[in-house]
Amino acid sequence: ELFKLLTKQKILPEIIILDLSMPDMDGYQTLIELSTNYPFIKILIFTFYQAEDVILNAINKGACGFLNKAADPDLLLKAVQSIA
């Protein structure tokens, strides 16, 4: 659905907040597709995963930031502002 929306938009988002757990296409696959086809869109991973290898894998695949869903809600705003 995300990629269908992106291809129809005249104005694309500057930042996408992405979870790694999704039903049809996993987050890493989505991250790679976004980084390859829309390299100018910054991606913040927002997930329950917090293992170091998960974080490094996401960053290596193109994420600009990583935030655990258990984090203080104010950190989400700060993360988005920092990435922007």
Side-chain angles (χ1 to χ4, degrees):
E1 288 180 32
L2 171 64
F3 293 106
K4 286 179 189 176
L5 286 171
L6 289 174
T7 58
K8 294 178 183 180
Q9 300 301 309
K10 292 181 181 180
I11 299 174
L12 295 172
E14 292 180 32
I15 298 172
I16 290 178
I17 299 172
L18 179 69
D19 195 347
L20 293 177
S21 298
M22 297 185 300
D24 296 327
M25 180 185 238
D26 78 20
Y28 288 120
Q29 188 178 2
T30 304
L31 179 57
I32 291 167
E33 288 269 331
L34 285 169
S35 296
T36 301
N37 297 311
Y38 303 94
F40 48 87
I41 297 176
K42 297 175 179 130
I43 303 159
L44 171 64
I45 300 298
F46 188 58
T47 188
F48 278 114
Y49 298 114
Q50 56 188 3
E52 184 177 341
D53 62 323
V54 173
I55 297 168
L56 292 174
N57 197 8
I59 299 298
N60 288 332
K61 289 183 175 19
C64 293
F66 192 100
L67 188 62
N68 186 277
K69 286 184 178 180
D72 186 295
D74 291 338
L75 285 178
L76 178 58
L77 177 60
K78 288 179 183 176
V80 170
Q81 289 172 334
S82 178
I83 289 172

